[in-house]
Amino acid sequence: MSELENAPHPRVSVVIPSYNNEQFIEAAVESVLRQTFRDFELIVSDHSSTDRTWELLQRFAADPRVRLGTVAPGGGAPANWTAVTERAGGEFVKLVCGDDLLYPTALAEQVAAFDAHPEAVLVACQRDVIDADGAPVVRSRGLQGLSGVVPGDQAIRRTVSAGTNVFGEPMCILVRREVLLATGGWDDRVPYLLDQATFVRVLRRGPMVAVRRCLAAFRISAEQWSVDLVRQQGRHAREFHASVQRDHPGLLHRWDRPLGDIRATAMALGRRGVYLWLRWRRKDAGPAAPADTIAAGAKAADDRPAFDRLVE
C-alpha cells in the first residue's frame, strides 16, 4: 500500500476497500463525508482498479478527513480489507464497500449506542437494499428480530440457526478496533462469508447492540448472481456452520447447525429469484450498466462479500 500521511486518531475510522467501483465510488465517499457525527477519518484503499475509480477518488484528496492509498493486485477482498483496516486509528471501525452508502446519522447513532453500552464489542443496524440505480428493492432489512443489547453467544447461535448473516453487511456494523485486531482481523477461512465469520469471532469477546433503525444502504445488481453461486453459497454456509461448531465446542444448541444448513440453502434459492427479477426489470427498463462496474464485488476475488442477504 502506498504511504499515507499520519494524522491524529479520531474516534471513528471509516474504511473503504474500493475495486472497479467507478459508477458508485463518489456516492459512497460522499455519504461518509455527510455524516452528522464529525469525529471520524475516512481511509480509502484502492485495489489497483482497472477502471476510473482511482482517478475519481482524487477529487477528495484535499479533504483533511480523507486519506487515499492503493494495494497491489492479488489476494482478493481479504488483502484489501486487511490493508485498509490496518491503517485505521480510531476507537471504532466501519468498513463500507465501494458501492454501498451510509445514511447521515449512521455514525452518530452507533457511537451513541457504544457510549450507552461500553461493554459492547459491535453495534449493528438495519439497512435498505437498493439496486444499481439507487431504487429501493427491500426496505429496513436485518437483525432477525434482535434488539438492544444481545449477548454475543446468543447472537452467534441466531446467525447460525437462521442460515444467514443476521448482523448485516460491513456497512451496517461499527466494531471496536482493538477487539477486531485482537481476534485476528478479517477471517478469510470461508471467503464468501468473510464478514459474518469475522463478526462471530468478535462476538465471542462480548455483546452486540442491535439498533433497529435503517442507517445504511446495500447495493445489488442483477449481474451479481448465477446458478453456480447458489451451489457455492450453500456449501460455504455449511462449512461456516461446521467451523463455528468445531472452534467453539458447546456454543451451538443441538438443532442450530442442522436448521441453519437447511435455511441457508433455501434462502440462496430465494435470493436467486430476487436477482432474476432484477435482471428482468433492468432488461425491461433498458440496457444495464456494464457488469464489470456494477458487479465488481460479486466474486470472491473482488472487494466485497460475494453473497447478499436479501431473504431473512
Side-chain angles (χ1 to χ4, degrees):
M1 188 171 188
S2 63
E3 191 64 30
L4 299 175
E5 296 181 4
N6 293 324
H9 296 319
R11 192 146 191 225
V12 175
S13 296
V14 180
V15 298
I16 298 180
S18 63
Y19 177 71
N20 285 359
N21 297 127
E22 66 177 1
Q23 188 174 354
F24 307 116
I25 190 62
E26 291 174 291
V29 171
E30 288 167 354
S31 78
V32 177
L33 298 180
R34 286 196 296 265
Q35 292 298 296
T36 60
F37 182 85
R38 308 307 297 172
D39 188 15
F40 72 88
E41 64 179 352
L42 172 58
I43 305 170
V44 185
S45 171
D46 186 64
H47 207 166
S48 300
S49 292
T50 57
D51 64 2
R52 296 178 60 241
T53 298
W54 180 248
E55 175 187 344
L56 294 171
L57 285 169
Q58 301 314 303
R59 61 172 281 222
F60 303 105
D63 191 311
R65 297 168 293 177
V66 178
R67 292 188 285 156
L68 305 177
T70 59
V71 170
N80 201 12
W81 288 30
T82 297
V84 72
T85 302
E86 287 177 347
R87 293 284 176 169
E91 180 182 0
F92 308 115
V93 173
K94 179 182 286 290
L95 187 146
V96 179
C97 292
D99 51 0
D100 294 333
L101 303 172
L102 296 184
Y103 294 160
T105 63
L107 296 184
E109 295 192 43
Q110 290 187 303
V111 170
F114 267 121
D115 288 343
H117 303 285
E119 74 279 15
V121 293
L122 68 81
V123 175
C125 68
Q126 294 179 306
R127 82 291 199 210
D128 290 332
V129 179
I130 61 175
D131 66 14
D133 298 320
V137 177
V138 185
R139 292 187 182 274
S140 299
R141 297 296 290 175
L143 297 180
Q144 279 269 327
L146 298 178
S147 182
V149 180
V150 182
D153 287 356
Q154 179 184 333
I156 294 169
R157 286 192 291 269
R158 178 68 64 86
T159 201
V160 170
S161 64
T164 190
N165 181 355
V166 303
F167 319 124
E169 296 77 26
M171 81 286 175
C172 296
I173 305 296
L174 189 65
V175 61
R176 289 194 184 276
R177 182 176 64 92
E178 64 177 15
V179 179
L180 174 62
L181 297 179
T183 53
W186 297 105
D187 185 351
D188 63 350
R189 291 176 297 171
V190 185
Y192 291 130
L193 300 174
L194 172 64
D195 50 348
Q196 186 179 7
T198 299
F199 302 145
V200 163
R201 293 202 306 198
V202 167
L203 285 165
R204 289 294 282 169
R205 299 293 185 96
M208 67 177 283
V209 180
V211 177
R212 298 196 62 81
R213 279 178 46 76
C214 186
L215 302 177
F218 179 68
R219 196 184 303 272
I220 62 173
S221 76
E223 287 77 12
Q224 285 177 311
W225 204 261
S226 71
V227 173
D228 184 53
L229 289 184
V230 172
R231 291 193 293 267
Q232 290 188 54
Q233 183 184 26
R235 176 170 60 85
H236 279 265
R238 291 189 295 272
E239 290 175 359
F240 169 63
H241 298 159
S243 72
V244 172
Q245 189 169 52
R246 180 182 64 250
D247 295 345
H248 310 288
L251 172 61
L252 299 182
H253 294 160
R254 179 180 180 183
W255 293 105
D256 289 339
R257 182 181 167 190
L259 284 174
D261 289 349
I262 293 169
R263 288 168 173 166
T265 300
M267 284 188 286
L269 293 171
R271 289 187 202 102
R272 182 168 181 258
V274 172
Y275 279 90
L276 289 173
W277 172 76
L278 280 172
R279 188 171 297 173
W280 172 83
R281 190 175 71 167
R282 283 197 67 84
K283 183 178 180 181
D284 189 60
D292 62 348
T293 58
I294 64 177
K299 305 178 183 66
D302 297 332
D303 282 10
R304 66 178 297 157
F307 297 110
D308 313 321
R309 291 70 160 175
L310 298 181
V311 182
E312 298 178 343

